[in-house]
Amino acid sequence: MPPFIIIASTRLTVGLISSLLNILTNLGVVVWDLGLTLFNLVAPLRPADRVVPAGCPGAGGRWPEYIPPKEGDSRSACPGLNALANHGLLPRSGRNISFRQMNAAIRSTFNFAPTFCFFVPSYMAGLLGKSYWTDTLDLSDISVHNGIEHDASLTREDTSESPHQGEPCERFINELLASGTGPGGNLTVADLSRISGKRRTEAKSNGQFTLSAFHKLFGSSNSGTLLTIFGGRVQDLRPILLEERIPEGWQPRIRNPAGLTLTAFQPTVLGIELGIEEEAS
């Protein structure tokens, strides 16, 4: 058999095996997530002031020192990940972070479910052509356009307007925080739908606007964390989004012992996305 046929056959086999493993992994995550969701239905909630496990940074609301990034540090389009680095829960440089290290920090800090904490870094790894199990990344790596980062963000300018996706857009964030109509001015599902529709309409004018159906849902997922993990509370979101700092005394608003599962998260995401109205360009 000619060598080029052997090479092509080998590559095809490896590709099929990889695809099969991905399917089995995703099925396993779905089953695992459903089990955690059912467990949360019957398990008692954690005390509001003791959501972060004892012995972990942030237990009792006592967070490690906040130090803003210095020149040369790597930051991403995700305020939550940047906050982890700013508090030393991930390497403060934002560089050479393993995906498994990211998983553990997200889990203990924000009380996302283990499935959530595995799936998102694993997706990032695949997007970057890296191995979740053995490779590392810099935070700026995940700001690749139309990967995790996307146009019409509520906290970042579009890449066509600003290449610095690690920097919060104060104007957008202040508008977001001022849009709350809930008790005390807190954010609601309807608020996030309305402000997302406004951002998408405005962003269409940038001349290079792209926003696939997938990234629309991803954007609504990002918005959904503001309502779930942070309870829509503007007082907490202000330092998180503007300074990328965890407020002293803060604890995740999701108190279920298994954390926020992918299954339980979907109604919030769909509620935001289905309520978005975009004006025609």
Side-chain angles (χ1 to χ4, degrees):
M1 183 178 294
F4 71 87
I5 294 181
I6 295 175
I7 293 172
S9 177
T10 301
R11 287 179 176 173
L12 179 62
T13 300
V14 170
L16 289 172
I17 292 173
S18 178
S19 296
L20 180 59
L21 287 174
N22 285 336
I23 291 172
L24 292 174
T25 298
N26 289 337
L27 284 174
V29 168
V30 169
V31 173
W32 183 18
D33 194 74
L34 287 172
L36 293 175
T37 302
L38 293 174
F39 171 73
N40 277 339
L41 291 176
V42 299
L45 298 176
R46 293 177 180 173
D49 61 346
R50 295 198 299 276
V51 179
V52 175
C56 292
R62 294 181 293 276
W63 296 97
E65 181 184 7
Y66 166 79
I67 301 176
K70 61 181 186 298
E71 186 176 355
D73 287 346
S74 180
R75 292 296 184 265
S76 74
C78 175
L81 292 178
N82 293 346
L84 293 179
N86 291 341
H87 284 275
L89 302 167
L90 289 175
R92 291 188 183 273
S93 66
R95 299 188 182 280
N96 297 316
I97 301 168
S98 75
F99 293 96
R100 299 171 76 176
Q101 186 178 15
M102 183 180 290
N103 176 331
I106 294 171
R107 172 81 180 115
S108 64
T109 302
F110 297 120
N111 199 28
F112 283 103
T115 43
F116 215 126
C117 297
F118 167 77
F119 180 79
V120 174
S122 179
Y123 172 77
M124 289 180 189
L127 191 69
L128 297 171
K130 294 175 177 281
S131 166
Y132 168 85
W133 303 104
T134 60
D135 286 338
T136 64
L137 80 163
D138 295 346
L139 288 181
S140 60
D141 291 343
I142 66 174
S143 294
V144 58
H145 186 48
N146 282 337
I148 297 294
E149 183 277 336
H150 56 83
D151 280 345
S153 165
L154 299 184
T155 67
R156 298 297 194 271
E157 293 183 328
D158 295 344
T159 53
S160 58
E161 298 168 331
S162 172
H164 305 295
Q165 291 301 301
E167 299 176 1
C169 177
E170 190 171 328
R171 174 169 62 92
F172 289 164
I173 293 170
N174 284 331
E175 183 178 16
L176 166 66
L177 297 176
S179 69
T181 61
N186 291 335
L187 296 170
T188 68
V189 168
D191 297 331
L192 287 169
S193 294
R194 185 176 62 257
I195 196 73
S196 295
K198 182 175 184 294
R199 278 289 298 124
R200 290 181 188 181
T201 299
E202 292 172 345
K204 290 176 183 178
S205 66
N206 72 25
Q208 301 177 38
F209 175 80
T210 58
L211 194 66
S212 66
F214 170 79
H215 284 103
K216 287 182 177 182
L217 282 172
F218 201 91
S220 291
S221 297
N222 292 336
S223 299
T225 63
L226 306 182
L227 297 179
T228 50
I229 301 301
F230 296 98
R233 302 188 184 192
V234 170
Q235 182 179 354
D236 294 337
L237 289 170
R238 192 174 304 280
I240 283 285
L241 298 179
L242 286 171
E243 302 173 59
E244 299 180 332
R245 172 178 63 83
I246 302 173
E248 189 64 23
W250 181 82
Q251 294 281 277
R253 303 303 172 184
I254 294 294
R255 295 166 52 195
N256 302 100
L260 178 63
T261 63
L262 294 162
T263 303
F265 189 47
Q266 296 316 302
T268 301
V269 175
L270 292 175
I272 294 170
E273 182 60 36
L274 294 176
I276 293 175
E277 296 181 3
E278 301 176 41
E279 296 179 14
S281 58

